[in-house]
Amino acid sequence: LSLLSALAGKVRAPFAAALFTSARAAVFRFHPAFVVSKRSLTTFKSHNFDEAVTLEQSDKEGVWNGKTHPAYANFIGPFGGIIAAQGLQAVLKDSRRQGDPITMTLNYLAPMADGDFQVMTSLKQNNRSTQHWGLDIVQGPNVVAHAMLMLGARKE
């Protein structure tokens, strides 16, 4: 759970976002929500983190709808780590994605209020082995966070 805590905002957001893909696997592997018995298959109960990063694609390409989750609430809004994870999730779910995240630079522009938000992703450059993405997290008329990501395809 220490990696999950890191993702929830206990460390700086770029570090938390960089841990997202590997930490998520660790959470699934070691979280007590897995129940294993000799008589049944492994059963997984949904975790707050999975619920918090759930996004639904809108009618427009590259636009994702989400909601803040009360488990990651802070005094003025959600923790920064979960905001970074929600932005990264939008890029990871996009059908145009090729490769895995290499870097993510996220700028927090305004506090995010509890409630609905949109993540708008745009593919800036698509090369043979790398992709450059931009994303804005928008709540109402305000852009609350802006990020630039680089994804890379690994050689076999």
Side-chain angles (χ1 to χ4, degrees):
L1 282 178
S2 61
L3 291 175
L4 183 60
S5 298
L7 291 171
K10 305 285 188 214
V11 296
R12 293 181 185 200
F15 179 67
L19 286 175
F20 178 76
T21 53
S22 60
R24 183 174 174 151
V27 169
F28 283 136
R29 205 172 310 126
F30 299 116
H31 194 273
F34 280 110
V35 180
V36 180
S37 69
K38 293 179 181 178
R39 294 182 184 179
S40 67
L41 299 173
T42 303
T43 305
F44 179 73
K45 298 176 186 172
S46 179
H47 190 274
N48 289 339
F49 181 78
D50 297 307
E51 294 171 9
V53 297
T54 299
L55 300 172
E56 295 179 12
Q57 189 168 16
S58 73
D59 297 337
K60 300 177 186 174
E61 183 179 57
V63 178
W64 302 85
N65 298 316
K67 283 185 159 188
T68 58
H69 195 281
Y72 298 100
N74 197 358
F75 292 106
I76 59 170
F79 285 106
I82 199 68
I83 295 170
Q86 290 164 332
L88 181 59
Q89 179 74 347
V91 173
L92 292 175
K93 290 180 76 169
D94 198 297
S95 61
R96 300 170 291 170
R97 176 181 73 98
Q98 297 173 358
D100 298 317
I102 297 173
T103 63
M104 179 177 184
T105 303
L106 181 71
N107 297 306
Y108 298 96
L109 307 176
M112 181 184 262
D114 291 332
D116 297 336
F117 62 88
Q118 285 188 325
V119 182
M120 300 179 182
T121 60
S122 62
L123 180 59
K124 302 294 185 185
Q125 181 68 36
N126 189 16
N127 297 321
R128 184 174 42 130
S129 59
T130 61
Q131 285 185 324
H132 299 267
W133 288 81
L135 71 86
D136 289 324
I137 300 177
V138 178
Q139 199 169 41
N142 301 325
V143 177
V144 296
H146 171 75
M148 295 299 295
L149 292 90
M150 182 177 172
L151 279 62
R154 302 192 187 278
K155 293 183 179 181
E156 301 274 334

